[in-house]
Amino acid sequence: MVTAAVEATALTHRFALGRDRLTVLDGVDLAVAPGEFVAVVGPSGSGKSTLLRLLAGLDRPTRGRLTVDGAPLAGPDPSRALVFQDPTLFPWRTVRGNVEIGPRATGRLRERRDDVAAALELVGLTDFADAYPSQLSGGMAQRAALARALVNRPELLLLDEPLGALDALTRLAMQKELLNLWEARGFTAVLVTHDVDEALRLADRVLVLSARPGRVLADLPVDAARPRDTGAPALRDLRHRILRLLGVES
Amino acid sequence: MAVTQRERAAAPARAAARRRARPPVAALFGALVWTAGAALTALVPNRQEAEHTAVTAGLAGAVAVLTAALAPALTERVRRAGPWIAATGYWFVFWELATAKLDLLEPPYFTSPQGLLAALWDDRALLLDSFGNSLKLLVIGYSLGAATGVLTGIAMGWSPRVHYWAHPVLMSIGPVPAAAWLPLILLVFPTSYSGAVFMVALAVWFPTTVLTRAGVAAVSRRYYDVAQTLGAGSGYLVWRVAVPAALPQIFVGLFMGLGAAFLTLVVAELLGVKNGLGWYIQWTKGWAAYPRMYAAITLMIVLCGGAMALLFRVRNRVLRWQKDLVRW
Ligand SMILES: Nc1ncnc2c1ncn2[C@@H]1O[C@H](COP(=O)(O)OP(=O)(O)OP(=O)(O)O)[C@@H](O)[C@H]1O
Ligand SMILES: [Mg+2]
């Protein structure tokens, strides 16, 4: 099984905003074991997307240490896939063309053709393989972006609200597919979501971030066998706790 | 919902079928107008001296017959040309009347359709040669200028260092009309032909570079982020991300470059290489051979219009992924 361990220590990130410096993440500690599924929830603007960008190696943290499998993180790498919050498909490529970006960029398109087809099948876009992104619905575009990330067989999958634009039914189906995939392939996953139920259904642990600047408010293990019923009493308590931390419930 | 979707998909097809079933009225009417033109040319006596009247009438008749014969089998695209066939027919009748038949527009400044045909036919060797020379100069100069322009633009858009050094050069050389460099170019270049090629290329290079660079520099950061997380190296980022994303802008540059190329072509032919359509036009004007000048202008329209149409087609094909692509 291909999988990666992630460790972040005292991660702080600031953006220059005009003349000021905006602190987005403030001393975030995070350790993800190989093959673990961690969900991150937090208010809008708490730095969840920023955290994922740091883990992907797209940005360098202002302060703090970030290692993957013990080695300092140097930059983006195809072994760490990021599904962005908005799909960002390349409009000049068809859906298949978009999914092929990874294999093509790493020069492995020939041996990966079956993977491309499998990824399209997985997200249910086989019939739309030759459509251009402008011809897709919002949910379809997000599924295409998911397929594009999965085709690289990442060791670490970073997901930034990947199911946000899907309808409730498709969302449930995709959650199941994601779980199956995770169980089959054994990659490490970090999922940002605003849906607490989704976090509870999927993750081994839920990390709750505070409003900006983002700090870790709680790191809560979810001890329940999958597939989970979020109506079960243990999970119901956990949900209330998380919602209280987020300030939604008193 | 599935039903309404299928219905919606079927609607355009049905509309097209309905259009096909309708007789091509406009095209048939066009054929009628051209028939009238042919009859007018053949039967009404000339007041202006003109050769080849019978041939002209025959050609007009041929247009009419061809349109009428092909009309039922025409494709949608050609069918839409029906009103234009009629309109050009009117123009032909008006022109024939105003010149050969009623002598309202007099030689030497004006010429009849017969006169134009005669000029085209009588001087065909030199005209063909001029057309070929212009085409060759245009193709060589434009290809060189466009290729250099796109490459310079990509380099400038990609690398701030290249932009730093190239921008002042671009902005000082580029805006000067290529024709202004002519004396210098004639001095420096070994042959006037290479000088003319350089002039045309220079005129194309400037707009192509400016727009390509703007396009590449404006490519969204997020595309690079996506490609990088998927394992793309810098070669991939330039050629597979920056360039395709900038293509709409690049085509605007290529289009403007083509316009500049026509302009410069004429000047370069006239003052430099002394052949080609641009030179022919001035040469015939010099000794008041106006029908021949019109003949050359007609060929010039064919050359420029053809080149433009070709570029539009290429663009529409390459950019077909664009949502709501404005067809040029
Ligand atoms: N490139 C940037 N430059 C300046 N500020 C930025 C940049 N990217 C993000 N920020 C700021 O950082 C803060 C956190 O942004 P981030 O996208 O990480 O939030 P988020 O937790 O993902 O929010 P949401 O749930 O709405 O997606 C925001 O206040 C945003 O304005
Ligand atoms: Mg976000």
Side-chain angles (χ1 to χ4, degrees):
Chain A
M1 270 192 201
V2 281
T3 186
V6 183
E7 198 163 343
T9 331
L11 217 53
T12 295
H13 198 69
R14 297 200 178 93
F15 285 113
L17 204 72
R19 290 159 128 249
D20 295 332
R21 310 248 294 155
L22 183 76
T23 305
V24 174
L25 291 173
D26 189 10
V28 170
D29 292 316
L30 168 70
V32 187
E36 200 176 14
F37 199 131
V38 173
V40 181
V41 297
S44 179
S46 58
K48 305 182 295 293
S49 295
T50 308
L51 178 64
L52 289 195
R53 284 182 63 88
L54 295 178
L55 295 179
L58 286 171
D59 292 328
R60 286 178 171 279
T62 313
R63 239 184 290 140
R65 247 175 75 79
L66 198 53
T67 62
V68 173
D69 289 335
L73 196 146
D77 188 279
S79 68
R80 294 190 302 276
L82 171 55
V83 181
F84 291 78
Q85 192 163 2
D86 53 354
T88 331
L89 299 173
F90 289 5
W92 58 89
R93 285 173 175 254
T94 59
V95 170
R96 180 184 290 112
N98 268 281
V99 176
E100 282 175 352
I101 293 173
R104 225 183 252 281
T106 48
R108 297 219 191 82
L109 184 57
R110 207 175 284 257
E111 47 200 279
R112 288 281 180 83
R113 279 211 202 274
D114 293 344
D115 288 3
V116 171
L120 285 169
E121 179 75 44
L122 180 77
V123 298
L125 286 178
T126 306
D127 291 344
F128 285 84
D130 295 316
Y132 282 100
S134 60
Q135 299 167 315
L136 301 182
S137 72
M140 286 158 83
Q142 241 179 358
R143 271 144 56 199
L146 190 61
R148 180 170 68 179
L150 288 173
V151 81
N152 261 7
R153 297 186 165 272
E155 298 168 19
L156 173 63
L157 185 62
L158 304 164
L159 301 151
D160 197 349
E161 302 190 22
L163 311 180
L166 303 184
D167 63 282
L169 283 177
T170 317
R171 171 188 278 252
L172 281 177
M174 290 300 299
Q175 285 174 1
K176 230 171 101 192
E177 289 296 348
L178 211 56
L179 262 187
N180 291 342
L181 207 69
W182 172 69
E183 277 164 357
R185 293 204 190 158
F187 50 75
T188 309
V190 179
L191 167 77
V192 165
T193 178
H194 55 242
D195 179 352
V196 176
D197 279 345
E198 182 171 285
L200 292 176
R201 217 172 279 129
L202 299 179
D204 295 317
R205 268 163 53 210
V206 180
L207 202 73
V208 185
L209 289 188
S210 69
R212 207 188 63 235
R215 297 194 182 87
V216 180
L217 286 181
D219 188 344
L220 308 164
V222 188
D223 298 314
R226 299 183 181 88
R228 291 172 182 156
D229 170 16
T230 46
L235 291 185
R236 227 173 39 217
D237 291 349
L238 202 52
R239 183 204 289 108
H240 287 309
R241 227 176 119 193
I242 293 171
L243 290 175
R244 247 197 319 277
L245 283 167
L246 293 173
V248 184
E249 279 181 9
S250 51
Chain B
M1 195 177 110
V3 176
T4 54
Q5 250 173 16
R6 212 172 309 131
E7 271 179 355
R8 218 177 303 133
R14 241 183 292 126
R18 217 176 314 122
R19 268 199 302 279
R20 256 195 307 281
R22 217 164 41 208
V25 182
L28 288 177
F29 184 72
L32 206 67
V33 176
W34 276 98
T35 311
L40 169 85
T41 311
L43 304 177
V44 180
N46 284 342
R47 240 191 241 180
Q48 220 170 59
E49 194 192 323
E51 296 173 82
H52 304 305
T53 299
V55 177
T56 310
L59 284 176
V63 173
V65 170
L66 223 60
T67 308
L70 292 179
L74 288 183
T75 60
E76 190 58 31
R77 261 182 82 109
V78 184
R79 187 182 289 253
R80 276 182 37 218
W84 267 106
I85 295 174
T88 47
Y90 281 126
W91 165 248
F92 174 75
V93 169
F94 164 78
W95 183 15
E96 180 68 31
L97 274 175
T99 53
K101 302 305 177 196
L102 301 177
D103 200 18
L104 301 175
L105 303 172
E106 294 170 0
Y109 298 114
F110 296 99
T111 186
S112 55
Q114 294 84 317
L116 186 71
L117 279 178
L120 273 169
W121 182 250
D122 295 345
D123 211 13
R124 59 187 178 279
L126 187 53
L127 276 169
L128 205 66
D129 186 53
S130 300
F131 186 86
N133 281 328
S134 288
L135 183 64
K136 190 171 139 207
L137 183 55
L138 181 68
V139 169
I140 298 176
Y142 185 75
S143 320
L144 275 177
T148 337
V150 168
L151 288 178
T152 323
I154 292 171
M156 286 176 72
W158 184 254
S159 154
R161 181 100 148 264
V162 174
H163 182 249
Y164 175 84
W165 289 108
H167 184 73
V169 179
L170 180 73
M171 281 308 158
S172 48
I173 295 179
V176 179
W181 299 108
L182 188 78
L184 181 66
I185 288 169
L186 289 181
L187 213 67
V188 172
F189 277 79
T191 60
S192 55
Y193 196 79
S194 56
V197 167
F198 179 78
M199 251 173 79
V200 174
L202 183 66
V204 178
W205 173 77
F206 175 60
T208 312
T209 304
V210 170
L211 276 133
T212 304
R213 120 109 195 126
V216 170
V219 173
S220 166
R221 176 80 244 152
R222 301 179 316 159
Y223 291 143
Y224 297 129
D225 287 346
V226 168
Q228 277 183 309
T229 58
L230 292 171
S234 53
Y236 190 97
L237 293 184
V238 175
W239 297 107
R240 301 291 187 136
V241 181
V243 171
L247 269 178
Q249 290 271 25
I250 293 176
F251 270 104
V252 176
L254 288 175
F255 164 71
M256 289 169 61
L258 190 58
F262 297 148
L263 211 73
T264 314
L265 179 85
V266 174
V267 177
E269 284 178 345
L270 190 58
L271 303 174
V273 290
K274 307 247 190 313
N275 63 30
L277 289 173
W279 164 82
Y280 185 99
I281 290 170
Q282 289 301 321
W283 177 64
T284 46
K285 179 177 169 277
W287 47 281
Y290 291 104
R292 289 187 179 194
M293 187 181 85
Y294 291 135
I297 290 175
T298 310
L299 288 183
M300 198 74 161
I301 292 173
V302 172
L303 177 71
C304 298
M308 242 352 145
L310 187 68
L311 183 61
F312 285 177
R313 285 190 79 109
V314 171
R315 170 196 177 266
N316 289 346
R317 213 187 146 66
V318 172
L319 297 186
R320 67 182 181 284
W321 51 268
Q322 253 193 335
K323 198 177 180 177
D324 309 323
L325 175 72
V326 177
R327 304 238 154 221
W328 281 352

